[in-house]
Amino acid sequence: MGIIRLLPEHIANQIAAGEVVQRPASVVKELLENAVDAGAKHIKLIVKDGGKSLIQVIDDGIGMDETDARMSFERHATSKIKSSEDLFRIKTKGFRGEALASIAAVAHVEMKTRPHDRELGTLIKIEGGEFKLQEAIQTAPGTSVAVKNLFFNVPARRKFLKSPQVEMRHIIDEFQRVALAYPELEFTLIHNGNELYRLFPSNLLRRITSVFGNKMEERLLPLNEETEYIKIYGYTGKPEFAKLKRGEQFFFVNKRFIKSPYLHSAVMKAYEGLLREKRIPPYFIYFEIEPEHIDINIHPTKTEIKFDDEYTVYNILRASTRRALGQFNQMPSLDFDTMPELNFDKPVKSSGIRREPKINVDPAFNPFKTGTDKPFVSKPAFEKPSRKAIENFSEFMQAPKNDFFPAKEEKISAEIFSKEEIKGDIESMQWLDKYILTHTRTGIIMINQHRAHVSILFEEYYKNLSAGKIPSQQLMFPLIPDLLDSEIELIEKNKTLFERTGLSGENEGGTFRFTAIPAGLKESQVLDFVENLIASLSEDLPIDRDDMNRFLALKLAMASAVRNGQKLNSDERQNLIAQLFSLPEPELTPSGKRNFIILSENQIEKLF
Ligand code: ADP
Ligand code: MG
């Protein structure tokens, strides 16, 4: 019948391109890697509009003659694999000779290249996979590849691109990864004419600080371990500088950035007992291992890797991280007897080498303990509930509900609190300092105190934001959070956003001082809030104003709500219950999680 047809080549190329080129940052990654592979010493990345209009990489590497220049755009054209043996040896890099072909299939590409020993170079122009031009030109030795109008011929993809800021964030991530992998090379990044980074050849620590700011240096501890199987080196963060946000965690295997939840958990294990809830320390950890022991998923954009002996890598990584922390007296309370796999035969360096800040890791540290915070804001955690609120509770409990409770089949129909009961107290108790238990005729109610309070506060903040902004609380002494330069920059860029939440302050020579904070937040909560907000600024923020208000209200509510682990007295419990059941939707948190469950008599009976 002849209904099967070969796809036209340009369509085949576009499909393959989809694998390699997902967004501007993927182009950046491929071009930077090619420049490094070409032995360049200086690599310059020029970007316009988050890569939507231009991504250009200029290098001073070996360059190509006219034949190679042309060949480099052919699918499966690579100079890096000559035999199947090579394929085995350098599979660590994942060469497939596909990147340039894929990029050219979905963009306008202009390459200028010249080997150092030639007088003339080559210019090639390709648009959507079609060769438009090839000619001899005067050009500097090395290679420049300019990629314009990415996805011009794949409208669905082009539409899918995020705002220039978001795409730029991804580009910066890729740039940083390559820059951190090769501290000995010079990298420059220019966006819309502004030089964002100029990284001079240096050692690893200098490279890290030139990417993340000088403050990073005192936050890091060196880490070193060498076994027959693997060499591990780099830096890991002191526990007190761990942050709520991710973004400063890097693993490199044989100079290639990888992601690994498994190895991350090894590092986190080493920090056990040293970090406040949900904090993640920065780390820059490099592995060197014989390629035959690893298997890189050869999919071009994947950054995953498999070690043939993962378990060993996990243990060595955990032990060496632990040792890095221990060597610098980060763990006064550590019980080494419980860690038999640690080998402490190695001489422990005395700590005079680096300026050693005083670190007090309090083993009894309890992030929930209150009382240490200066009460900047006098607003009580819960206001006294109105009679109306208590009545609401009763009404709510009487209304037929079914969706949210385990007791799906049973309608909650019986009268729950009699009128007399409402006048009095709602009887309750707190369990594990986490749940509030109360009861009605139909069942036992278990309320998640943190979630319930988040839901209550959310409504309040949301109302305030919808009406304008959160009221501010002026501070007598400015609050000076420990921020990186890049974070201060983010705050300044998003000044109006911060101000709407009631925060205001200014940058004084690289130190940011908050002079006013949102009313209702304690100082310690403000820090959490700021960190949390900064962390989400690098993600996709809602554009719609109402969505934005919800987003901010939720962040504020999460920062200021009572924690699990916090003791509540009976008044506070009663108020929380009453306020919760005055909400339009008491069942769920703003993000859709369950605030409470009801165990009905029927269900309880079934359990007996
Ligand atoms: P791969 O990197 O997997 O080999 P690419 O499509 O990225 O595949 O590149 C194809 C070939 O083009 C490379 O193998 C290399 O020979 C050549 N090439 C690409 N970029 C450069 C560059 N910046 N300098 C010199 N040669 C390059
Ligand atoms: Mg390549």
Side-chain angles (χ1 to χ4, degrees), residues 30-31 33-39 57 59 61-64 68-69 71-74 76-81 93-103 111 113 142-145:
E30 295 297 338
L31 296 185
E33 280 177 1
N34 279 349
V36 170
D37 292 340
V57 171
D59 70 54
I62 54 171
M64 286 172 269
D68 283 349
M71 273 286 283
S72 69
F73 288 100
E74 299 292 335
H76 308 303
T78 175
S79 57
K80 300 164 195 172
I81 302 174
K93 286 235 173 188
F95 297 123
R96 306 208 309 184
E98 275 194 322
L100 285 181
S102 297
I103 293 165
M111 176 193 274
T113 183
T143 303
S144 153
V145 180

Side-chain angles (χ1 to χ4, degrees), residues 237-256:
K238 294 176 185 166
E240 70 271 31
F241 295 115
K243 295 191 164 191
L244 281 170
K245 75 164 187 190
R246 290 181 153 272
E248 291 166 358
Q249 291 75 36
F250 294 86
F251 290 125
F252 297 89
V253 175
N254 297 350
K255 300 216 129 205
R256 190 189 168 93

